[in-house]
Structures are given as C-alpha cells and as structure tokens.
Amino acid sequence: MNPAGVNEKDKVQPFYVFFLVHAMQTGIGVLSFQRVLAKSTGTDGWISIILAGLIVHLLIWVIYKIFSIVPGDILTVNYQAFGKWMGNFFSLLFILYFLILSLTVMISYIQVIHVWMFEEVPAWSFSLVFLVLIYYINTGGFRTITGIAFLSATMTFGLLFFLFYAMKYSEFTNLLPIFDHSILDIWKGTRNVSLTMIGFELILMFYPFIRDAKSSQKYAHGGALSTTLTTLFIYLVSLVFYSQKQLVMTIWPTLSMTSIVELSFIQRFEYIDVSWWAIVIIPNMTISLWAASRGFKRLFNVQQKYPLWGMSLIILMINIFFFDIDSLNILARIINPYGVIFLVSYLPLLLVIIYIKKKRNRI
C-alpha cells in the first residue's frame, strides 16, 4: 500500500472541513426526506432527526480517533488493521460505496429535472453534462473541489430564506401531538432520515488533504451540526405547511413549498429552484466520484484520471440503459439501509481493532 502522501500546496485549511461536510450531507435527500419520515414518525420526526445527528457526531469522533492512531486515509487504516488482502477487500467496498453514492445522487436529481422541467430530454444527456463538469472540477485538484463545496454550502443557506415564504400559509397546530410514537417508530424514522445525513464519511478519504488535520475535528462537528439544524428546520416548516396526509403523499415537499413563491418578474419560481439545486447537488457527485477514483488510484497505483474516466463511463452507461425508477430504488436501498448499517458497524469495529493493535505495538 502506497502512503497517502499529499503535497502541502494541495492541502486546505482546517475550517474548510465545515463546508466539505455540510456540502456532502446536504443533497438530494433534503428534497424528499419529509415524506418518508412523516410515514414512520409523523409529528415526532424531529426526534429522529436529532438522534440521527447525534449518531453522526459520534461517528465523526470515531473517524478522528481512528486517524489519531493511524494517520492517512481509510485505505491506510484498512491495510494496518487487516493486512494486504482483507484490507484491500474492505477498501474496495468503500470505493464501490462512494461510486454508488455519486450515481444515486445523479440519477435522483435527473429524475427531479425530468418531472419538474424537461420531461422529454433523455437522462444520458444530463448525465453527460454533469460528468464533463465533474471531470473538469476534479482535474483542478482537491482545492478546486473545496471551493465548489464552499459555494454550494453558501447557496444552501440562501435557499432556506425562501422557506419563510411558506410560513405565511402555516398551521402550527399541525405540530401536535408530540411524543405520540413508540421508540421503535422513532428508531425507524432515524434510519429513514439517514440518507439525508450521510456524506460526512468522505472525511475518510480527504483527511490527508487537510493542514493540521487534527484541529479540523471541531469544524467537522460544526458542519454536521449545521446540517442537522437545517434538516430540522425544513422538517418543522413542512409539518406546519402540510397536513399529515398531504406530507405523506407529496414526493418532493421542499420543492413543492418553494414553488408557491410569487414574484412579479418570475412566473414559475420552481424552475429557478430546481436549477439552483444543481449547485447544491454537484459537490455530492464530485466529491464522491473523486473519493472513488482516488481510492482506486491508491489501491492499484495508477493515475487518478484513468479510474475517473472509467467510473464516469460506467455512470453514463447506467443512465443510458438502466435509467428508471426501479434502478433508483435499488441504488437507494444499497445506500440506505445497507451502506448506512455498514458504516455504523464497521467504523467502531475498526477503531477497536487498531486500538488493540496499537496496545500490542503492532502499529
């Protein structure tokens, strides 16, 4: 395993981790998580969101604890913990996970574009445009990717102001009753909202690209906290805007809320909203594909552009031959719950293994 050595000029300041984490967590799930969460927990969904946020903070602590023992990235840690063959196997699983994450985000967003804007335009054409843009951003290096994440995070906060428009039509009694669901329902809701909260695990790949990486932990927690509060705010606004039946039946509640915005010079505000979300979504696809291609580069000692080309071609082929709602559901189920369960169980186990090895002076 080659070391994850990174030139100092390619590294970013620790506070940018806030934007990297927030940009990765805030993605396509924000548009639709309310419907699934309302089915399981209703007015108590806010409890599930807070619980999911606490789990994310715990896993971020685990990640930084792992790297305090074995500096580098997840490939280095897997090698140290399990040896060459088993370590490479788990590293391949992470590479596949990052690739599927990027693909899921892209297909989900293209479906939104089809429904809200351009129904007749083939999926592969949107995919091709996104992939060319992603490749261009990736060729600029990790500092360029960080800049895009910074832009995306600031744009996300701007979109939240439009949700205040929906407050004019809100019924606050919709927040009642509270504490009306069982612990099992709350836990089910936590699992359902996990697709909105994932993305923080990309720290496993870009940790070596942070200057004085240990000091960035507080910014990683800050980014996760910002995402949790944003998700909580969106869900509470959705609860008071929709009735329970409406919320369960609305596929993209966030977009539907912002579509009621009326401006004298814009007739269809949702067109701007959907287009604006492209800036929010692009870092999700870019960072995930960067992580997958970098992992492949490190594992097989090739130039990163070659796996990036190959993975982009795979994504394009899937969009050409398999783009439909069924394939999207399959990808979503791979990420949630299986991918989430893998992260929640694997990272603490990995910490225990390397901690024991360190105590025995094997690391």
Side-chain angles (χ1 to χ4, degrees):
M1 172 63 63
N2 293 330
V6 178
N7 292 330
E8 196 66 25
K9 64 182 180 62
D10 296 325
K11 294 184 178 182
V12 299
Q13 295 296 331
F15 70 88
Y16 282 112
V17 174
F18 174 95
F19 301 100
L20 288 164
V21 171
H22 181 75
M24 271 306 305
Q25 285 187 293
T26 308
I28 198 68
V30 175
L31 301 179
S32 58
F33 77 95
Q34 304 100 306
R35 178 173 64 93
V36 182
L37 189 56
K39 285 182 180 180
S40 55
T41 54
T43 52
D44 288 332
W46 60 273
I47 304 176
S48 298
I49 294 173
I50 293 174
L51 182 58
L54 291 175
I55 293 173
V56 168
H57 283 289
L58 178 60
L59 291 176
I60 289 176
W61 178 85
V62 169
I63 290 172
Y64 276 86
K65 195 67 177 178
I66 289 172
F67 287 136
S68 69
I69 301 173
V70 182
D73 57 19
I74 187 61
L75 278 73
T76 305
V77 178
N78 286 336
Y79 183 84
Q80 292 286 347
F82 301 107
K84 180 179 179 181
W85 298 108
M86 187 61 69
N88 287 351
F89 169 74
F90 283 115
S91 296
L92 279 173
L93 288 182
F94 274 98
I95 292 170
L96 182 62
Y97 168 80
F98 294 141
L99 177 61
I100 293 175
L101 181 60
S102 180
L103 177 60
T104 303
V105 172
M106 183 177 294
I107 291 181
S108 300
Y109 182 63
I110 291 174
Q111 186 187 25
V112 171
I113 297 175
H114 274 167
V115 173
W116 287 81
M117 296 180 68
F118 305 112
E119 182 179 0
E120 303 299 327
V121 180
W124 66 265
S125 59
F126 291 116
S127 176
L128 182 61
V129 171
F130 283 132
L131 289 171
V132 170
L133 180 58
I134 289 170
Y135 180 80
Y136 178 73
I137 294 172
N138 272 306
T139 55
F142 187 74
R143 293 175 65 88
T144 302
I145 295 172
T146 303
I148 297 297
F150 174 83
L151 176 63
S152 169
T154 54
M155 296 294 277
T156 302
F157 296 134
L159 282 171
L160 294 179
F161 287 104
F162 292 110
L163 293 178
F164 285 102
Y165 194 92
M167 302 284 283
K168 294 167 50 178
Y169 308 98
S170 299
E171 179 58 57
F172 288 92
T173 57
N174 290 347
L175 294 173
L176 301 174
I178 60 174
F179 307 116
D180 193 42
H181 293 78
S182 66
I183 296 177
L184 184 62
D185 291 334
I186 298 297
W187 180 251
K188 183 179 179 181
T190 301
R191 189 189 69 181
N192 290 336
V193 80
S194 58
L195 186 60
T196 308
M197 305 299 288
I198 60 174
F200 65 92
E201 68 277 8
L202 270 297
I203 298 172
L204 293 167
M205 286 304 300
F206 65 68
Y207 184 87
F209 286 82
I210 308 167
R211 289 196 183 101
D212 190 18
K214 292 181 180 180
S215 66
S216 68
Q217 182 173 354
K218 59 185 177 183
Y219 297 107
H221 285 292
L225 177 61
S226 176
T227 305
T228 302
L229 294 177
T230 300
T231 306
L232 185 61
F233 171 72
I234 293 173
Y235 189 70
L236 291 177
V237 172
S238 301
L239 282 178
V240 299
F241 181 78
Y242 297 101
S243 67
Q244 283 290 306
K245 291 184 179 179
Q246 287 176 325
L247 190 56
V248 170
M249 295 176 61
T250 305
I251 299 177
W252 293 292
T254 305
L255 282 178
S256 297
M257 277 193 295
T258 54
S259 66
I260 68 169
V261 175
E262 295 179 356
L263 299 174
S264 59
F265 54 92
I266 298 175
Q267 185 175 7
R268 299 292 299 274
F269 183 80
E270 61 267 27
Y271 284 3
I272 294 179
D273 199 16
V274 172
S275 303
W276 198 332
W277 270 99
I279 303 175
V280 178
I281 297 300
I282 284 172
N284 289 201
M285 299 181 287
T286 303
I287 301 175
S288 300
L289 202 55
W290 171 86
S293 59
R294 175 167 173 81
F296 198 93
K297 166 196 171 181
R298 295 246 301 112
L299 202 59
F300 298 101
N301 196 24
V302 296
Q303 293 185 43
Q304 189 169 350
K305 64 179 181 180
Y306 297 126
L308 186 59
W309 289 346
M311 292 174 183
S312 299
L313 185 60
I314 290 172
I315 293 175
L316 182 60
M317 292 299 103
I318 290 175
N319 275 278
I320 292 175
F321 296 109
F322 302 104
F323 183 87
D324 55 35
I325 191 64
D326 293 329
S327 61
L328 177 58
N329 289 334
I330 292 171
L331 290 170
R333 284 194 64 82
I334 292 174
I335 297 297
N336 181 25
Y338 302 116
V340 174
I341 292 173
F342 174 70
L343 288 174
V344 172
S345 57
Y346 182 78
L347 291 178
L349 177 63
L350 186 61
L351 175 59
V352 171
I353 292 173
I354 64 171
Y355 181 79
I356 293 174
K357 282 198 165 188
K358 181 183 179 183
K359 286 296 184 181
R360 295 180 178 179
N361 295 320
R362 295 184 180 179
I363 294 180

